């Protein structure tokens, strides 16, 4: 593979650069045009095969209404209203008429039509009504509908001052808008910080700009892949957040590793061509393993039926492939053109800092630190493990919740409506349990008796009279006393399902859909974890030829994940630092975000494992004793791993600035896992455990060892090809009229 790549570089690095750039532009043009077709519906979190979702489809076919969507409209009144009067105040009448005329609205229910006085506040100064809507086509159809409805309300001065539009449809559109707006602000704040750190870490303007170019390529390729996939299946718009953050993070990681190794080879006196060849055979292979690890870890999300999750899997694979494309094709070609000019536009002191110091490998900070750890490996391993386990302790009290209007900021319209109804309209119908019964036209009496029994269930606030909604189909709405996604609401749903129904009855609505989602996630999570672990084991086995090192990597990765989960529970579930991070705790964590965090954190943990183990194995292959190889490897790559972690945390940590609590959770969780892994795990746990295991680190059973030697040995890193010798230093860079071959022969 790398021999063919080197041949391409010899024939013309500029041609290869143009090819990569053109491919990125084509991908961006093709994929970018598809982004407006991405979904942003509440059904992004549904399992289409669950009973609660299938009955939604049945109702929509029969009535044209999607019970998962809808508006909840809050109306403030100038004068108190008596709900028993059956009269609508002028502002309510105009609001109801306006909403009824909207083309997406299928039905409107207020206190008059429902004969439900609970839909009026106790003092009579406000009321609400609920509008069911039809399903929306993928893309921006739902955004256009909500925008036009809001514009119509704003065009009427009286309605603008008295009416607030909320509900699940509004909530989801606002969440998408807030996510995009917050992402833009986060990137604007993070970019200057990132650029300054890149200048300092890469020690030069030219080198610092390279990973940003790589990020553009990886993001463009990812968008192209997403666009191609969308010709077959719908994808969620929220994947764009992951594409941006992961594209920047991986491009920085890969560029830092390859440029650092390229500079090291140049300092050793090799020509530009030979330095690139040696870099690709070592750091290039490391990047290949690393990129495959990230892609396969995120590919495990494809086992979930929820569009939100499998979209993240597609986005992760696409972004990883884009980052690999730049790191293994575009970046070597660029370095071939630049040569030593990669160090241009850097202060003299920074250039001198790159010069090798006598005995640097045996006297550097990381070298001394690792030997200090290995002198007391048991103490270091126990101390690091103890800290990780203490951080993980809160994980035993984890609670879950979903994404609905309760997740919205209180300054959003949907958040304001939800909060108001929860406080002032106990047992409101903004998110009821819909009981759909398959029953004949004459079933009204029996279903009415059934609804009376439902009203006796603990946790039920109100039950509307059953009503026919289609041929052989009836609906009974049950308002709950507790928030629809709370544990108490789930218990009430279980009790409702135990009440004997006279006809086949299926619950749906937010509470039932959340219950179905949790069941679906629980059923598929073991498979996803198994795939993550097996692919990690195989890739690390292919790289090292050992079964011990991959097993230790999986165990340390799980410790990192447990510690990260404990930290998230401490902050977001228990509400610590709520003021500093500007959020209101829901007393639980969002499960789909945790699964994404699990995949990303595992991918990045293994990524840094690959960085470190590849350099240690290189030392062992070159004849160094185990402990010396560990210390030398950590000295050579310790700074790179630490700085890569810092840089990776910038774009992901910026997600904590989002006003959406579930985006904050993803940002803090990913950044925390990277920091924990790069410090406690890579700096303490890995060297101490490797020192304790000694030669056993490289053990594999005979059959696996022979399998590796026969089929996978070509994938291992080699510092140089068997017949290669270091060539004298070449001119500083490839001249604009010369090829890499000419530079290599100079």
């Amino acid at each position: 593979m790398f021999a063919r790549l080197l041949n391409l570089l010899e024939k013309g690095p500029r041609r290869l650069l143009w090819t990569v750039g053109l491919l990125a532009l084509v991908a961006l043009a093709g994929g970018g045009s598809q982004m407006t077709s991405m979904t942003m519906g509440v059904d992004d979190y549904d399992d289409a095969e669950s009973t609660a979702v299938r009955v939604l489809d049945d109702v929509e076919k029969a009535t044209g209404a999607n019970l998962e969507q809808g508006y909840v409209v809050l109306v403030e009144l100038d004068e108190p209203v008596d709900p028993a009067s059956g009269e609508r105040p002028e502002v309510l009448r105009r609001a109801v008429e306006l909403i009824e005329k909207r083309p997406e609205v299928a039905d409107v229910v207020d206190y008059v039509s429902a004969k439900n006085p609970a839909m009026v506040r106790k003092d009579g100064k406000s009321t609400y009504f609920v509008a069911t809507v039809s399903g929306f086509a993928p893309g921006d159809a739902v955004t256009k509908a909500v925008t036009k409805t809001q514009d119509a309300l704003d065009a009427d001065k009286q309605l603008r001052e008295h009416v607030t539009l909320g509900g699940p449809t509004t909530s989801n559109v606002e969440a998408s808008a807030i996510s995009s707006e917050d992402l833009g602000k986060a990137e604007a704040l993070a970019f200057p910080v990132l650029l300054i750190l890149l200048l300092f870490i890469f020690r030069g303007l030219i080198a610092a700009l390279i990973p940003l170019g790589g990020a553009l390529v990886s993001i463009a390729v990812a968008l192209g892949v997403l666009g191609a996939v969308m010709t077959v299946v719908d994808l969620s718009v929220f994947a764009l957040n992951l594409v941006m953050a992961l594209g920047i993070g991986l491009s920085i990681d890969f560029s830092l590793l390859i440029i650092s190794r390229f500079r090291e080879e140049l300092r050793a006196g090799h020509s530009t061509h030979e330095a690139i060849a040696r870099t690709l055979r070592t750091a290039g292979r490391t990047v290949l393993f690393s990129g495959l690890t990230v892609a396969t870890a995120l590919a495990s999300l494809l086992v979930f039926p929820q569009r939100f999750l499998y979209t993240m899997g597609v986005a992760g694979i696409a972004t990883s492939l884009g980052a690999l494309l730049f790191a293994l094709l575009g970046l070597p070609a660029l370095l071939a053109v630049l040569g030593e000019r990669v160090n241009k536009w850097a202060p003299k002191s920074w250039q001198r800092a790159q010069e090798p110091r006598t005995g640097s490998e045996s006297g550097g900070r990381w070298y001394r630190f690792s030997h200090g750890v290995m002198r007391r490996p048991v103490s270091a391993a126990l101390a690091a493990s103890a800290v990780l386990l203490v951080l993980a302790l809160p994980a035993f009290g984890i609670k879950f919740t979903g994404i609905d209007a309760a997740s919205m900021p209180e300054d959003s319209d949907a958040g304001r409506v939800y909060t108001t109804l929860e406080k002032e309209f106990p047992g409101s119908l903004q998110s009821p349990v819909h009981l759909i019964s398959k029953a004949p036209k004459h079933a009204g009496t029996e279903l009415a008796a059934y609804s009376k029994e439902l009203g006796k269930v603990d946790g039920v606030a109100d039950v509307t009279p059953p009503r026919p909604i289609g041929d052989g189909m009836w609906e009974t709405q049950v308002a709950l006393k507790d928030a629809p996604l709370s544990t108490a609401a789930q218990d009430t749903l279980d009790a409702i399902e135990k009440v004997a129904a006279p006809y086949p009855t299926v619950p749906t609505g937010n509470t039932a859909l959340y219950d179905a989602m949790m069941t679906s996630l629980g059923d598929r999570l073991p498979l996803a974890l198994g795939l993550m672990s097996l692919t990690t084991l195989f890739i690390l086995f292919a790289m090292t030829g050992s079964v011990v090192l991959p097993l230790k990597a999986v165990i340390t990765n799980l410790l990192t994940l447990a510690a990260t989960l404990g930290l998230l529970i401490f902050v977001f579930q228990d509400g610590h630092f709520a003021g500093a991070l500007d959020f209101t705790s829901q007393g639980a964590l969002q499960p789909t975000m945790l699964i994404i965090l699990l995949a990303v954190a595992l991918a990045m943990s293994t990524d840094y494992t690959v960085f470190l183990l590849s350099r240690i194995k290189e030392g062992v292959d070159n004849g160094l004793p185990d402990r010396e190889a560990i210390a030398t490897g950590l000295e050579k790559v310790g700074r790179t791993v630490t700085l890569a972690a810092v840089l990776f945390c910038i774009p992901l940590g910026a997600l904590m600035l989002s006003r959406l609590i579930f985006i904050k959770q993803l940002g803090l969780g990913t950044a925390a896992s990277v920091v924990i892994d790069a410090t406690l795990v890579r700096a303490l746990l890995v060297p101490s455990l490797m020192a304790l295991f000694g030669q056993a680190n490289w053990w594999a059973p005979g059959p696996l060892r022979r399998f590796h030697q026969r089929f996978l040995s070509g994938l291992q890193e080699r510092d140089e090809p068997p017949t290669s010798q270091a060539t004298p230093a070449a001119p500083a860079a490839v001249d604009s009229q010369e090829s890499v071959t000419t530079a290599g022969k100079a």
Side-chain angles (χ1 to χ4, degrees):
M1 171 185 173
F2 291 104
R4 287 193 292 270
L5 176 56
L6 287 170
N7 288 335
L8 288 175
L9 288 171
E10 287 180 1
K11 292 176 181 178
R14 286 179 176 79
R15 188 182 306 127
L16 189 56
L17 262 181
W18 277 107
T19 301
V20 172
L22 183 61
L23 180 62
L25 287 175
V26 171
L28 180 61
S33 62
Q34 295 287 330
M35 295 304 103
T36 56
S37 300
M38 300 187 85
T39 66
M40 58 181 71
V42 290
D43 58 347
D44 282 357
Y45 305 93
D46 291 344
D47 179 356
E49 297 303 315
S50 68
T51 305
V53 174
R54 289 202 300 267
V55 76
L56 279 179
D57 296 336
D58 293 340
V59 171
E60 186 169 1
K61 290 176 183 177
T63 67
N66 185 332
L67 298 181
E68 193 174 11
Q69 297 274 6
Y71 299 131
V72 178
V73 185
L74 179 65
V75 182
E76 301 291 342
L77 305 173
D78 293 326
E79 299 293 334
V81 64
D82 179 9
S85 68
E87 299 292 331
R88 293 188 178 98
E90 176 65 14
V91 65
L92 175 62
R93 183 188 62 78
R94 290 167 63 178
V96 169
E97 288 179 355
L98 186 150
I99 296 297
E100 283 179 331
K101 291 178 181 178
R102 296 299 308 150
E104 71 273 14
V105 172
D107 188 28
V108 173
V109 176
D110 69 344
Y111 72 87
V112 176
S113 60
K115 297 181 174 59
N116 185 355
M119 298 180 75
V120 178
R121 198 170 67 189
K122 289 183 178 180
D123 63 2
K125 295 296 292 290
S126 66
T127 183
Y128 73 93
F129 63 91
V130 178
T132 55
V133 300
S134 58
F136 295 98
D140 59 356
V142 61
T143 302
K144 290 180 178 178
V146 172
T147 301
K148 289 180 179 179
T149 301
Q150 186 63 61
D151 289 345
L153 290 171
D154 291 341
D156 186 311
K157 182 179 179 181
Q158 187 179 20
L159 296 184
R160 182 173 65 247
E161 295 175 351
H162 292 80
V163 175
T164 306
L165 185 67
T169 300
T170 306
S171 172
N172 214 58
V173 170
E174 286 189 326
S176 177
I178 289 172
S179 176
S180 299
E181 181 183 344
D182 290 351
L183 180 62
K185 290 180 180 178
E187 289 174 345
L189 290 173
F191 184 78
V193 177
L194 192 62
L195 184 57
I196 292 171
L197 287 175
L198 286 172
L199 283 169
F200 174 75
I201 291 169
F202 280 83
R203 300 183 184 278
L205 181 60
I206 297 295
L209 293 176
I210 289 175
L212 297 180
L216 293 177
V217 171
S218 62
I219 291 170
V221 170
L223 294 179
V225 173
L226 292 179
V229 173
M230 285 174 62
T231 61
V232 180
V233 63
D234 294 329
L235 298 178
S236 172
V237 71
F238 289 100
L240 297 180
N241 290 348
L242 182 64
V243 168
M244 298 296 178
L246 194 62
I248 295 172
L250 288 179
S251 296
I252 290 173
D253 279 6
F254 295 167
S255 297
L256 182 59
L257 190 67
I258 287 179
I259 292 174
S260 297
R261 186 61 185 246
F262 177 68
R263 284 169 160 171
E264 181 182 327
E265 298 298 343
L266 287 179
R267 290 196 301 267
H270 298 291
S271 68
T272 297
H273 174 64
E274 185 63 19
I276 291 173
R278 295 169 70 91
T279 297
L280 284 176
R281 285 190 292 266
T282 53
R285 278 189 168 87
T286 300
V287 165
L288 177 61
F289 279 116
S290 176
L292 291 177
T293 298
V294 174
T296 53
L298 289 166
S300 63
L301 297 176
L302 298 178
V303 306
F304 294 98
Q306 287 78 13
R307 186 185 301 127
F308 181 80
L309 286 176
Y310 69 67
T311 296
M312 295 297 182
V314 175
I317 296 170
T319 309
S320 301
L321 294 178
L324 282 176
L325 175 72
F326 176 77
L328 298 181
L329 292 178
L331 182 52
L334 183 58
L335 293 177
V337 173
L338 290 174
E340 291 194 8
R341 286 180 295 184
V342 73
N343 297 321
K344 198 173 181 181
W345 293 352
K348 294 293 184 183
S349 59
W350 286 5
Q351 293 186 35
R352 287 194 298 271
Q354 297 174 30
E355 295 297 324
R357 297 187 299 273
T358 303
S360 61
E361 290 182 8
S362 60
R365 287 190 296 269
W366 284 102
Y367 182 91
R368 295 193 302 271
F369 177 81
S370 59
H371 267 299
V373 170
M374 289 187 290
R375 277 195 294 270
R376 298 176 180 83
V378 175
S379 299
L382 289 176
S385 300
V387 173
L388 291 170
L389 291 173
V390 168
L391 289 174
L393 284 177
F396 289 102
I398 189 170
K399 298 176 183 178
F400 297 108
T401 188
I403 296 177
D404 64 356
S407 309
M408 297 295 293
E410 291 188 11
D411 60 353
S412 66
D413 286 345
R416 190 179 306 113
V417 170
Y418 178 87
T419 302
T420 301
L421 264 64
E422 282 295 301
K423 291 179 179 178
E424 301 178 6
F425 297 84
S428 69
L429 290 173
Q430 67 169 326
S431 189
V433 173
H434 299 269
L435 296 175
I436 308 302
S437 301
K438 297 290 182 69
K441 294 180 180 180
H442 56 75
T445 302
E446 294 172 281
L447 289 173
Y450 171 56
S451 67
K452 288 182 180 179
E453 292 300 315
L454 292 172
K456 300 176 184 178
V457 173
D458 288 340
V460 170
D462 191 24
V463 181
T464 63
R467 64 187 184 108
I469 58 174
D471 187 21
M473 192 177 298
W474 291 69
E475 178 194 24
T476 304
Q477 294 187 22
V478 181
L480 306 181
K481 294 179 180 178
D482 301 289
L485 305 186
S486 65
T487 303
Q490 298 299 309
D491 293 339
T492 303
L493 177 64
D494 291 340
I496 288 172
E497 291 180 304
K498 291 177 182 177
V499 176
Y503 297 96
T505 300
V506 176
T508 189
N510 277 2
T511 306
L513 290 167
Y514 173 71
D515 182 66
M517 182 191 74
M518 292 299 295
T519 300
S520 174
L521 295 180
D523 289 344
R524 289 166 175 80
L525 185 59
L527 175 60
L529 287 172
L531 289 174
M532 289 182 198
S533 299
L534 287 175
T535 53
T536 298
L537 289 171
F538 178 78
I539 290 174
L540 291 180
F541 170 70
M543 188 186 81
T544 64
S546 164
V547 296
V548 175
L549 290 174
L551 285 172
K552 286 196 296 182
V554 170
I555 293 171
T556 54
N557 287 349
L558 292 177
L559 283 173
T560 299
L561 292 173
T564 303
L565 182 59
L567 182 63
L568 285 178
I569 292 170
F570 180 78
V571 174
F572 291 104
Q573 182 172 303
D574 298 340
H576 295 96
F577 308 110
L581 294 177
D582 190 25
F583 71 90
T584 300
S585 174
Q586 295 177 276
L589 300 181
Q590 210 285 322
T592 54
M593 280 298 176
L594 288 181
I595 291 174
I596 294 170
L597 171 61
L598 170 72
V600 174
L602 179 62
M604 298 315 301
S605 296
T606 310
D607 181 41
Y608 297 136
T609 299
V610 169
F611 282 14
L612 181 56
L613 291 183
S614 64
R615 209 63 193 254
I616 293 174
K617 189 175 190 306
E618 186 179 326
V620 172
D621 290 343
N622 288 336
L624 291 177
D626 281 344
R627 292 201 175 200
E628 188 65 18
I630 294 168
T632 303
L634 198 57
E635 171 63 25
K636 288 182 175 181
V637 84
R639 177 182 181 273
T640 301
V641 170
T642 303
L643 295 179
V646 170
L647 291 172
F648 193 83
C649 286
I650 300 298
L652 286 169
L655 296 178
M656 287 189 289
L657 299 176
S658 175
R659 287 170 287 168
L660 300 175
I661 188 170
F662 52 91
I663 300 293
K664 284 182 184 287
Q665 290 174 11
L666 180 62
L668 178 63
T670 309
S673 69
V674 169
V675 171
I676 290 170
D677 188 81
T679 53
L680 289 172
V681 175
R682 300 302 143 220
L684 291 174
L685 206 51
V686 169
S688 60
L689 290 177
M690 290 194 74
L692 286 171
F693 277 74
Q695 283 291 322
N697 284 306
W698 312 102
W699 179 83
L704 285 179
R705 187 168 58 252
R706 289 189 291 273
F707 173 83
H708 185 275
Q709 290 171 349
R710 182 174 181 181
F711 298 105
L712 302 174
S713 60
L715 295 175
Q716 295 190 67
E717 295 188 5
R718 293 183 176 86
D719 189 39
E720 56 184 329
T723 60
S724 175
Q725 300 293 328
T727 58
V734 181
D735 186 79
S736 60
Q737 302 298 319
E738 294 179 327
S739 69
V740 179
T741 306
T742 305
K745 295 177 180 178

